[in-house]
Protein backbone atom coordinates (compact mmCIF):
# COMPACT_ATOMS: atom_id res chain seq x y z
CA UNK A 1 0.00 0.00 0.00
CA UNK A 2 2.79 2.43 0.95
CA UNK A 3 4.62 1.75 -2.30
CA UNK A 4 1.49 2.33 -4.40
CA UNK A 5 0.73 5.62 -2.62
CA UNK A 6 4.39 6.63 -2.96
CA UNK A 7 4.31 6.03 -6.71
CA UNK A 8 1.05 7.95 -6.90
CA UNK A 9 2.65 10.89 -5.05
CA UNK A 10 5.63 10.94 -7.42
CA UNK A 11 3.30 10.93 -10.42
CA UNK A 12 1.17 13.77 -9.02
CA UNK A 13 4.18 15.94 -8.13
CA UNK A 14 5.70 15.42 -11.58
CA UNK A 15 2.39 16.28 -13.20
CA UNK A 16 1.92 19.30 -10.94
CA UNK A 17 5.34 20.91 -11.34
CA UNK A 18 6.36 20.01 -14.88
CA UNK A 19 4.44 23.03 -16.20
CA UNK A 20 6.12 26.37 -15.41
CA UNK A 21 2.79 28.22 -15.35
CA UNK A 22 1.37 25.68 -12.92
CA UNK A 23 4.32 26.23 -10.61
CA UNK A 24 3.62 29.96 -10.69
CA UNK A 25 -0.08 29.42 -9.96
CA UNK A 26 0.59 27.12 -7.01
CA UNK A 27 3.56 28.77 -5.32
CA UNK A 28 3.70 32.42 -6.39
CA UNK A 29 0.20 33.71 -7.13
CA UNK A 30 -1.23 33.11 -3.61
CA UNK A 31 1.69 35.04 -2.07
CA UNK A 32 1.34 37.95 -4.52
CA UNK A 33 -2.41 38.11 -4.02
CA UNK A 34 -2.09 37.94 -0.24
CA UNK A 35 0.38 40.84 -0.20
CA UNK A 36 -1.60 43.08 -2.55
CA UNK A 37 -5.04 42.33 -1.11
CA UNK A 38 -3.82 42.75 2.48
CA UNK A 39 -2.56 46.23 1.62
CA UNK A 40 -5.74 47.16 -0.22
CA UNK A 41 -8.32 45.56 2.06
CA UNK A 42 -8.53 47.85 5.06
CA UNK A 43 -11.29 49.73 6.85
CA UNK A 44 -8.92 52.09 8.63
CA UNK A 45 -9.66 55.71 7.75
CA UNK A 46 -6.72 58.06 8.25
CA UNK A 47 -5.51 61.38 6.83
CA UNK A 48 -9.05 62.39 5.90
CA UNK A 49 -8.83 65.45 3.68
CA UNK A 50 -11.10 68.04 5.22
CA UNK A 51 -11.95 71.68 4.39
CA UNK A 52 -12.48 74.14 7.22
CA UNK A 53 -14.91 77.04 6.82
CA UNK A 54 -13.90 79.41 9.61
CA UNK A 55 -16.33 82.33 9.59
CA UNK A 56 -15.37 83.40 13.11
CA UNK A 57 -11.57 83.52 12.70
CA UNK A 58 -10.83 83.92 16.42
CA UNK A 59 -8.44 82.30 18.88
CA UNK A 60 -11.15 79.85 19.91
CA UNK A 61 -12.05 78.84 16.35
CA UNK A 62 -8.38 78.35 15.48
CA UNK A 63 -7.97 76.28 18.64
CA UNK A 64 -10.77 73.96 17.46
CA UNK A 65 -9.16 73.73 14.01
CA UNK A 66 -5.82 72.80 15.56
CA UNK A 67 -7.56 69.96 17.42
CA UNK A 68 -8.57 68.50 14.07
CA UNK A 69 -5.24 69.10 12.32
CA UNK A 70 -3.23 67.68 15.26
CA UNK A 71 -5.20 64.44 15.26
CA UNK A 72 -3.93 61.51 13.17
CA UNK A 73 -7.29 61.22 11.44
CA UNK A 74 -7.74 64.59 9.72
CA UNK A 75 -5.62 66.42 7.18
CA UNK A 76 -6.81 70.02 6.82
CA UNK A 77 -6.53 70.60 3.08
CA UNK A 78 -7.78 74.19 3.03
CA UNK A 79 -9.22 76.85 5.36
CA UNK A 80 -11.94 79.03 3.84
CA UNK A 81 -13.76 82.15 4.99
CA UNK A 82 -17.06 81.13 3.35
CA UNK A 83 -18.59 78.02 1.81
CA UNK A 84 -18.81 79.20 -1.83
CA UNK A 85 -16.12 76.75 -3.03
CA UNK A 86 -17.24 73.91 -0.83
CA UNK A 87 -19.77 72.17 -3.17
CA UNK A 88 -17.22 72.19 -5.99
CA UNK A 89 -14.50 70.68 -3.78
CA UNK A 90 -16.84 67.91 -2.61
CA UNK A 91 -17.99 67.25 -6.18
CA UNK A 92 -14.41 66.83 -7.39
CA UNK A 93 -13.48 64.69 -4.42
CA UNK A 94 -10.77 67.11 -3.30
CA UNK A 95 -12.05 66.77 0.27
CA UNK A 96 -14.13 64.07 1.95
CA UNK A 97 -15.59 66.35 4.62
CA UNK A 98 -15.98 69.98 5.61
CA UNK A 99 -16.27 71.56 9.04
CA UNK A 100 -18.13 74.84 9.26
CA UNK A 101 -17.55 77.16 12.24
CA UNK A 102 -20.22 79.89 12.47
CA UNK A 103 -19.95 83.61 13.26
CA UNK A 104 -20.03 84.31 16.98
CA UNK A 105 -18.42 80.98 17.88
CA UNK A 106 -16.01 82.63 20.30
CA UNK A 107 -18.70 84.85 21.86
CA UNK A 108 -20.98 81.88 22.44
CA UNK A 109 -18.23 79.96 24.22
CA UNK A 110 -17.32 82.92 26.42
CA UNK A 111 -20.95 83.47 27.40
CA UNK A 112 -21.42 79.79 28.20
CA UNK A 113 -23.79 79.09 25.30
CA UNK A 114 -23.72 76.17 22.92
CA UNK A 115 -22.34 76.98 19.47
CA UNK A 116 -23.40 74.74 16.55
CA UNK A 117 -20.47 73.51 14.45
CA UNK A 118 -21.48 71.67 11.30
CA UNK A 119 -19.67 68.75 9.64
CA UNK A 120 -20.56 67.89 6.04
CA UNK A 121 -19.43 64.53 4.62
CA UNK A 122 -19.48 62.82 1.24
CA UNK A 123 -22.15 60.22 1.98
CA UNK A 124 -21.39 58.05 -1.06
CA UNK A 125 -18.98 56.08 1.12
CA UNK A 126 -21.41 55.35 3.93
CA UNK A 127 -18.98 53.36 6.07
CA UNK A 128 -16.26 55.99 5.79
CA UNK A 129 -18.80 58.71 6.58
CA UNK A 130 -19.85 56.99 9.79
CA UNK A 131 -16.20 56.63 10.83
CA UNK A 132 -15.41 60.28 9.96
CA UNK A 133 -18.36 61.52 12.02
CA UNK A 134 -17.26 59.35 14.93
CA UNK A 135 -13.72 60.76 14.74
CA UNK A 136 -15.09 64.32 14.54
CA UNK A 137 -17.23 63.65 17.60
CA UNK A 138 -14.16 62.46 19.54
CA UNK A 139 -12.15 65.56 18.58
CA UNK A 140 -15.03 67.87 19.50
CA UNK A 141 -15.56 66.10 22.83
CA UNK A 142 -11.87 66.57 23.64
CA UNK A 143 -12.11 70.28 22.75
CA UNK A 144 -15.21 70.69 24.97
CA UNK A 145 -13.47 68.97 27.84
CA UNK A 146 -10.37 71.14 27.62
CA UNK A 147 -12.43 74.34 27.16
CA UNK A 148 -14.63 73.66 30.19
CA UNK A 149 -11.61 72.80 32.27
CA UNK A 150 -9.97 76.06 31.18
CA UNK A 151 -12.93 78.39 31.90
CA UNK A 152 -14.36 76.62 34.96
CA UNK A 153 -11.18 75.20 36.40
CA UNK A 154 -12.67 71.73 36.77
CA UNK A 155 -12.88 68.55 34.77
CA UNK A 156 -15.69 68.31 32.26
CA UNK A 157 -17.25 65.05 33.37
CA UNK A 158 -17.50 63.34 36.72
CA UNK A 159 -17.30 59.93 35.02
CA UNK A 160 -14.56 59.29 32.50
CA UNK A 161 -15.20 56.16 30.43
CA UNK A 162 -11.95 54.69 29.14
CA UNK A 163 -12.25 52.07 26.40
CA UNK A 164 -9.79 49.23 25.86
CA UNK A 165 -9.80 46.78 22.95
CA UNK A 166 -8.28 43.42 23.81
CA UNK A 167 -6.11 41.53 21.30
CA UNK A 168 -6.01 44.56 18.97
CA UNK A 169 -5.43 47.70 21.07
CA UNK A 170 -5.17 50.08 18.11
CA UNK A 171 -8.09 48.46 16.26
CA UNK A 172 -5.95 47.94 13.15
CA UNK A 173 -7.91 46.12 10.47
CA UNK A 174 -4.86 44.20 9.21
CA UNK A 175 -5.04 41.91 12.24
CA UNK A 176 -8.46 40.78 11.04
CA UNK A 177 -8.02 40.83 7.28
CA UNK A 178 -4.56 39.31 6.77
CA UNK A 179 -5.32 35.97 8.52
CA UNK A 180 -8.71 35.96 6.82
CA UNK A 181 -7.08 36.35 3.42
CA UNK A 182 -4.82 33.40 4.19
CA UNK A 183 -7.95 31.29 4.71
CA UNK A 184 -9.37 32.62 1.44
CA UNK A 185 -6.20 31.81 -0.50
CA UNK A 186 -6.11 28.28 0.90
CA UNK A 187 -9.67 27.48 -0.15
CA UNK A 188 -9.24 29.24 -3.51
CA UNK A 189 -6.06 27.44 -4.56
CA UNK A 190 -7.11 24.11 -3.06
CA UNK A 191 -10.54 23.99 -4.69
CA UNK A 192 -9.59 25.32 -8.12
CA UNK A 193 -6.50 23.16 -8.66
CA UNK A 194 -7.71 19.95 -7.05
CA UNK A 195 -11.17 20.05 -8.64
CA UNK A 196 -9.51 19.45 -12.02
CA UNK A 197 -7.16 16.71 -10.84
CA UNK A 198 -9.31 13.65 -11.64
CA UNK A 199 -11.40 15.09 -14.43
CA UNK A 200 -8.22 16.05 -16.29
CA UNK A 201 -7.16 12.41 -16.24
CA UNK A 202 -10.58 11.44 -17.55
CA UNK A 203 -10.23 13.82 -20.47
CA UNK A 204 -6.72 12.75 -21.51
CA UNK A 205 -7.51 9.07 -20.91
CA UNK A 206 -4.83 8.29 -18.35
CA UNK A 207 -7.30 7.38 -15.60
CA UNK A 208 -8.04 4.03 -17.29
CA UNK A 209 -4.32 3.23 -17.24
CA UNK A 210 -4.17 4.02 -13.54
CA UNK A 211 -7.24 1.99 -12.69
CA UNK A 212 -5.99 -1.20 -14.34
CA UNK A 213 -3.09 -1.13 -11.85
CA UNK A 214 -3.51 -2.84 -8.45
CA UNK A 215 -4.07 0.52 -6.75
CA UNK A 216 -7.18 0.68 -4.61
CA UNK A 217 -9.68 3.50 -5.00
CA UNK A 218 -9.05 4.84 -1.48
CA UNK A 219 -5.30 4.82 -2.24
CA UNK A 220 -6.01 6.70 -5.45
CA UNK A 221 -7.93 9.42 -3.55
CA UNK A 222 -5.20 9.60 -0.88
CA UNK A 223 -2.57 9.83 -3.59
CA UNK A 224 -4.49 12.68 -5.18
CA UNK A 225 -4.97 14.48 -1.85
CA UNK A 226 -1.49 14.32 -0.29
CA UNK A 227 0.45 16.34 -2.93
CA UNK A 228 -2.02 19.21 -2.69
CA UNK A 229 -1.99 18.95 1.10
CA UNK A 230 1.81 19.25 1.11
CA UNK A 231 1.82 22.19 -1.32
CA UNK A 232 -0.98 23.76 0.73
CA UNK A 233 1.19 23.58 3.85
CA UNK A 234 4.15 25.09 2.00
CA UNK A 235 2.01 27.92 0.59
CA UNK A 236 0.43 28.57 4.00
CA UNK A 237 3.84 28.73 5.68
CA UNK A 238 5.09 31.25 3.12
CA UNK A 239 1.96 33.34 3.61
CA UNK A 240 2.43 33.39 7.39
CA UNK A 241 6.05 34.49 6.85
CA UNK A 242 4.85 37.36 4.63
CA UNK A 243 2.18 38.23 7.18
CA UNK A 244 4.90 38.52 9.84
CA UNK A 245 7.58 40.31 7.80
CA UNK A 246 5.34 42.72 5.90
CA UNK A 247 2.37 43.25 8.21
CA UNK A 248 3.77 42.38 11.63
CA UNK A 249 1.21 39.62 12.31
CA UNK A 250 2.60 37.37 15.03
CA UNK A 251 1.08 34.01 15.88
CA UNK A 252 0.19 34.39 19.55
CA UNK A 253 -0.91 30.81 20.16
CA UNK A 254 0.47 27.32 19.52
CA UNK A 255 2.00 26.80 16.08
CA UNK A 256 1.49 23.06 16.42
CA UNK A 257 -2.24 23.50 17.05
CA UNK A 258 -2.52 26.01 14.22
CA UNK A 259 -0.82 23.68 11.73
CA UNK A 260 -2.91 20.71 12.87
CA UNK A 261 -6.16 22.65 12.42
CA UNK A 262 -4.93 24.08 9.11
CA UNK A 263 -4.21 20.56 7.87
CA UNK A 264 -7.79 19.55 8.65
CA UNK A 265 -9.07 22.66 6.85
CA UNK A 266 -6.95 22.00 3.76
CA UNK A 267 -7.96 18.34 3.76
CA UNK A 268 -11.63 19.32 3.90
CA UNK A 269 -11.18 21.68 0.97
CA UNK A 270 -9.38 18.97 -1.00
CA UNK A 271 -12.14 16.46 -0.21
CA UNK A 272 -14.74 18.92 -1.48
CA UNK A 273 -12.65 19.58 -4.59
CA UNK A 274 -12.23 15.86 -5.29
CA UNK A 275 -15.99 15.44 -4.90
CA UNK A 276 -16.40 18.09 -7.61
CA UNK A 277 -13.75 16.44 -9.74
CA UNK A 278 -15.23 12.93 -9.70
CA UNK A 279 -18.71 14.24 -10.60
CA UNK A 280 -17.64 16.61 -13.41
CA UNK A 281 -17.27 15.41 -16.99
CA UNK A 282 -14.97 18.17 -18.23
CA UNK A 283 -12.42 20.55 -16.72
CA UNK A 284 -14.70 23.49 -17.57
CA UNK A 285 -17.51 21.94 -15.55
CA UNK A 286 -15.16 21.33 -12.63
CA UNK A 287 -13.77 24.88 -12.75
CA UNK A 288 -17.22 26.49 -12.92
CA UNK A 289 -18.52 24.30 -10.09
CA UNK A 290 -15.50 25.19 -7.96
CA UNK A 291 -16.14 28.92 -8.40
CA UNK A 292 -19.82 28.42 -7.60
CA UNK A 293 -18.70 26.90 -4.28
CA UNK A 294 -15.91 29.35 -3.51
CA UNK A 295 -17.97 32.55 -3.75
CA UNK A 296 -20.72 31.54 -1.28
CA UNK A 297 -18.11 29.87 0.93
CA UNK A 298 -16.30 33.20 1.34
CA UNK A 299 -19.46 35.32 1.63
CA UNK A 300 -21.05 32.97 4.19
CA UNK A 301 -17.93 32.43 6.29
CA UNK A 302 -18.30 35.56 8.42
CA UNK A 303 -15.20 37.07 6.86
CA UNK A 304 -17.08 39.89 5.11
CA UNK A 305 -20.55 39.82 6.68
CA UNK A 306 -21.15 38.86 10.34
CA UNK A 307 -22.91 35.52 10.57
CA UNK A 308 -25.15 36.69 13.42
CA UNK A 309 -26.61 39.36 11.08
CA UNK A 310 -27.75 36.74 8.55
CA UNK A 311 -31.25 35.16 8.54
CA UNK A 312 -31.56 32.06 10.71
CA UNK A 313 -31.84 29.73 7.72
CA UNK A 314 -28.64 31.10 6.21
CA UNK A 315 -26.89 30.85 9.59
CA UNK A 316 -27.81 27.17 9.69
CA UNK A 317 -26.39 26.67 6.17
CA UNK A 318 -23.02 28.13 7.24
CA UNK A 319 -22.53 25.10 9.50
CA UNK A 320 -21.51 23.17 6.38
CA UNK A 321 -18.94 25.77 5.38
CA UNK A 322 -15.39 24.71 6.40
CA UNK A 323 -14.10 28.28 6.07
CA UNK A 324 -16.51 29.48 8.77
CA UNK A 325 -14.92 27.19 11.36
CA UNK A 326 -11.35 27.74 10.18
CA UNK A 327 -11.70 31.52 10.40
CA UNK A 328 -12.82 31.16 14.00
CA UNK A 329 -9.89 28.87 14.76
CA UNK A 330 -7.34 30.98 12.88
CA UNK A 331 -8.29 34.30 14.51
CA UNK A 332 -8.48 32.70 17.95
CA UNK A 333 -5.04 31.07 17.75
CA UNK A 334 -3.23 33.77 15.78
CA UNK A 335 -4.59 36.84 17.59
CA UNK A 336 -5.94 35.67 20.95
CA UNK A 337 -3.46 32.87 21.60
CA UNK A 338 -6.15 30.51 22.88
CA UNK A 339 -5.66 26.76 23.24
CA UNK A 340 -7.57 23.70 22.02
CA UNK A 341 -9.89 23.74 25.04
CA UNK A 342 -11.53 26.92 23.74
CA UNK A 343 -11.89 25.63 20.17
CA UNK A 344 -13.50 22.23 20.67
CA UNK A 345 -16.70 23.04 18.76
CA UNK A 346 -15.09 24.49 15.59
CA UNK A 347 -12.42 21.77 15.61
CA UNK A 348 -15.02 18.98 15.77
CA UNK A 349 -17.15 20.66 13.09
CA UNK A 350 -14.17 21.15 10.81
CA UNK A 351 -12.96 17.56 11.26
CA UNK A 352 -16.45 16.18 10.63
CA UNK A 353 -16.76 18.18 7.41
CA UNK A 354 -13.33 17.05 6.20
CA UNK A 355 -14.12 13.39 6.90
CA UNK A 356 -17.53 13.74 5.27
CA UNK A 357 -16.22 15.36 2.09
CA UNK A 358 -13.43 12.79 1.68
CA UNK A 359 -15.81 9.88 2.29
CA UNK A 360 -18.29 11.23 -0.23
CA UNK A 361 -15.49 11.68 -2.78
CA UNK A 362 -14.36 8.06 -2.32
CA UNK A 363 -17.94 6.76 -2.52
CA UNK A 364 -18.74 8.78 -5.61
CA UNK A 365 -15.47 7.78 -7.21
CA UNK A 366 -16.34 4.12 -6.75
CA UNK A 367 -19.68 4.62 -8.48
CA UNK A 368 -17.98 6.43 -11.33
CA UNK A 369 -15.48 3.65 -11.89
CA UNK A 370 -18.08 0.92 -11.62
Amino acid sequence: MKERIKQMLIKEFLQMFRDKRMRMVIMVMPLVQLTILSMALTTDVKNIKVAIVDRDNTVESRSLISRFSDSQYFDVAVTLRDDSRLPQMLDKGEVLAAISIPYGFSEDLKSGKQSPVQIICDGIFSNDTAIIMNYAGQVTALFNSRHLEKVAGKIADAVNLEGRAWYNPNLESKFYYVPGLIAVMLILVGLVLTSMAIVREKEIGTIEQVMVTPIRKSEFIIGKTLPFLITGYVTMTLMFIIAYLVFGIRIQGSLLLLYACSGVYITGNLGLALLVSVTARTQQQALLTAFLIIVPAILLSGFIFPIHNMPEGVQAATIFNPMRWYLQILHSIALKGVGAESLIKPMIAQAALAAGFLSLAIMKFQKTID
Side-chain angles (χ1 to χ4, degrees), residues 189-264:
V189 175
L191 268 179
V192 170
L193 295 180
T194 315
S195 63
M196 293 187 290
I198 295 177
V199 72
R200 182 172 56 240
E201 299 217 33
K202 289 181 186 175
E203 284 189 342
I204 61 179
T206 56
I207 194 166
E208 286 83 1
Q209 298 173 18
V210 174
M211 294 314 299
V212 295
T213 65
I215 190 169
R216 297 190 181 101
K217 285 131 188 178
S218 58
E219 294 169 356
F220 180 80
I221 293 295
I222 292 172
K224 283 285 182 186
T225 307
L226 283 180
F228 290 101
L229 178 63
I230 294 170
T231 54
Y233 264 126
V234 173
T235 306
M236 184 190 73
T237 302
L238 294 174
M239 287 194 289
F240 277 125
I241 291 173
I242 289 178
Y244 172 68
L245 294 178
V246 180
F247 302 101
I249 309 294
R250 292 173 178 270
I251 306 300
Q252 303 295 334
S254 166
L255 271 178
L256 182 63
L257 179 63
L258 178 61
Y259 270 71
C261 293
S262 299
V264 177

Side-chain angles (χ1 to χ4, degrees), residues 16-177:
M16 190 184 302
F17 290 108
R18 68 183 175 186
D19 187 350
K20 181 181 177 182
R21 286 171 297 184
M22 186 60 78
R23 293 198 295 269
M24 292 287 291
V25 169
I26 294 174
M27 304 306 300
V28 179
M29 288 305 294
L31 307 182
V32 174
Q33 290 185 0
L34 172 72
T35 306
I36 294 174
L37 292 177
S38 296
M39 290 178 178
L41 198 58
T42 175
T43 56
D44 297 340
V45 181
K46 294 181 179 178
N47 301 319
I48 305 158
K49 287 195 176 296
V50 61
I52 303 288
V53 181
D54 185 6
R55 295 185 176 87
D56 199 49
N57 193 25
T58 57
V59 173
E60 284 74 16
S61 66
R62 288 191 289 273
S63 174
L64 177 60
I65 294 169
S66 68
R67 291 287 178 190
F68 280 93
S69 59
D70 291 344
S71 72
Q72 61 175 323
Y73 308 122
F74 294 97
D75 178 11
V76 178
V78 61
T79 302
L80 308 170
R81 296 298 175 214
D82 58 61
D83 58 6
S84 58
R85 289 178 51 200
L86 203 53
Q88 188 180 15
M89 296 183 72
L90 285 168
D91 288 346
K92 290 183 177 179
E94 295 175 354
V95 294
L96 286 177
I99 295 167
S100 178
I101 302 174
Y103 292 116
F105 175 76
S106 175
E107 291 300 322
D108 287 343
L109 292 184
K110 290 176 180 175
S111 59
K113 297 179 182 176
Q114 283 190 336
S115 183
V117 174
Q118 185 182 39
I119 179 167
I120 304 167
C121 296
D122 183 346
I124 295 295
F125 308 101
S126 57
N127 185 59
D128 289 358
T129 300
I131 294 173
I132 291 170
M133 287 188 171
N134 181 45
Y135 288 162
Q138 292 179 27
V139 173
T140 307
L142 183 61
F143 175 82
N144 285 336
S145 174
R146 295 290 183 268
H147 174 73
L148 189 60
E149 185 177 351
K150 179 179 176 182
V151 298
K154 58 184 181 181
I155 58 175
D157 303 301
V159 177
N160 182 26
L161 179 63
E162 294 185 355
R164 180 185 175 190
W166 280 18
Y167 314 120
N168 185 9
N170 297 323
L171 298 178
E172 296 178 80
S173 60
K174 66 179 182 181
F175 288 101
Y176 175 78
Y177 284 112

Side-chain angles (χ1 to χ4, degrees), residues 323-354:
M323 189 173 163
R324 169 193 170 162
W325 303 113
Y326 183 62
L327 272 180
Q328 186 177 342
I329 292 170
L330 181 58
H331 281 133
S332 298
I333 297 176
L335 304 182
K336 297 180 180 179
V338 302
E341 67 279 0
S342 302
L343 298 170
I344 292 175
K345 182 181 176 182
M347 287 167 63
I348 292 175
Q350 188 178 248
L353 287 174

